[in-house]
Amino acid sequence: MSRIRLSPVDRILAIADHALRALNSTPQASRPKPVSTRPSPRLDDAERRHAGALMRVDHVGEVCAQALYSAQALATSNPALRDQFEKAAGEETDHLAWTTERLAELGARPSLLNPLWYAGAFGIGLLAGRAGDAISLGFVVETERQVERHLDSHLARLPAEDHASRALVAQMKADEAGHAMAAESAGAQRLAAPVRWAMRAAARVMTATAYYL
Ligand SMILES: [Fe+2]
Ligand SMILES: [Fe+2]
């Protein structure tokens, strides 16, 4: 199938459209939301607030994933790699839709700083993309592995009875591992240790802030 060639203006419009969709609209998942077979008993107020705050952090992570994959798809000149980034971005849209829905169910709101997170992640994604495909893929591997560990920590911190949130987080964790493996097999280069540390530090600031804001 032939690929439609976009002009620079078309590309800018497509990026703006993608950002507005990630930040403002109700995202549409292509897969049904994972559900637990175990009934979720009513959470008390403190549990619901805590689960909502953790879900807000996960939602911010998915907003950032939208921005990163969008920027990295834009930066590469390799059509196969662009397709791979766009396929992963599709699964990230599922995650965005599921976390949006779960936030509402928990009576929590998305982060007020989402435009800032999106813009920051987009800039970082462009930088990674400009560094070349192997580094860009290495960035995906490191990001997805960090998100996987982070989701694992949320499985430990979510209220034990919040099976609905746990079902989402477990599926997202499996998907992120798949994204990391796909990037590894596509020829990712391992990032230098200081870059990985900087990414971890940035992620810590984001997750600590998004719990409250
Ligand atoms: Fe995700
Ligand atoms: Fe991912």
Side-chain angles (χ1 to χ4, degrees):
M1 197 166 66
S2 66
R3 174 173 280 277
I4 298 168
R5 282 193 165 275
L6 295 179
S7 72
V9 173
D10 289 335
R11 280 187 175 246
I12 289 167
L13 289 175
I15 291 164
D17 177 62
H18 189 268
L20 288 173
R21 279 173 199 273
L23 293 169
N24 285 324
S25 66
T26 307
Q28 296 297 316
S30 61
R31 293 173 291 169
K33 188 170 75 157
V35 287
S36 170
T37 50
R38 305 167 74 179
S40 271
R42 262 188 87 79
L43 304 173
D44 67 29
D45 281 355
E47 287 174 327
R48 197 174 40 75
R49 269 198 306 276
H50 177 57
L54 292 177
M55 197 53 61
R56 177 164 49 249
V57 173
D58 295 339
H59 180 264
V60 166
E62 298 306 330
V63 166
C64 290
Q66 292 291 320
L68 289 170
Y69 276 116
S70 170
Q72 288 178 269
L74 179 77
T76 181
S77 55
N78 176 343
L81 191 55
R82 190 177 303 129
D83 286 347
Q84 181 175 335
F85 287 153
E86 285 170 357
K87 179 174 178 290
E91 292 192 354
E92 305 295 3
T93 302
D94 290 349
H95 300 173
L96 187 68
W98 299 340
T99 51
T100 301
E101 201 179 319
R102 187 63 190 143
L103 267 180
E105 288 167 0
L106 289 163
R109 52 159 178 74
S111 170
L112 300 172
L113 302 177
N114 272 343
L116 198 70
W117 304 129
Y118 188 97
F122 193 89
I124 291 170
L126 270 187
L127 278 180
R130 288 282 156 84
D133 288 344
I135 298 276
S136 191
L137 284 162
F139 181 82
V140 169
V141 172
E142 181 59 25
T143 305
E144 297 285 8
R145 291 289 181 218
Q146 286 187 21
V147 175
E148 198 187 336
R149 285 196 293 273
H150 157 84
L151 292 174
D152 211 27
S153 79
H154 277 199
L155 286 174
R157 292 174 65 198
L158 276 166
E161 301 293 296
D162 187 359
H163 304 304
S165 297
R166 288 175 170 279
L168 291 195
V169 172
Q171 182 59 53
M172 284 159 54
K173 185 182 153 213
D175 290 345
E176 314 305 11
H179 299 157
M181 278 190 288
E184 261 164 4
S185 10
Q189 184 179 321
R190 187 167 161 80
L191 301 184
V195 177
R196 287 185 274 121
W197 297 335
M199 288 168 69
R200 246 172 264 167
R204 261 200 296 274
V205 170
M206 184 271 272
T207 53
T209 311
Y211 185 90
Y212 300 100
L213 282 177

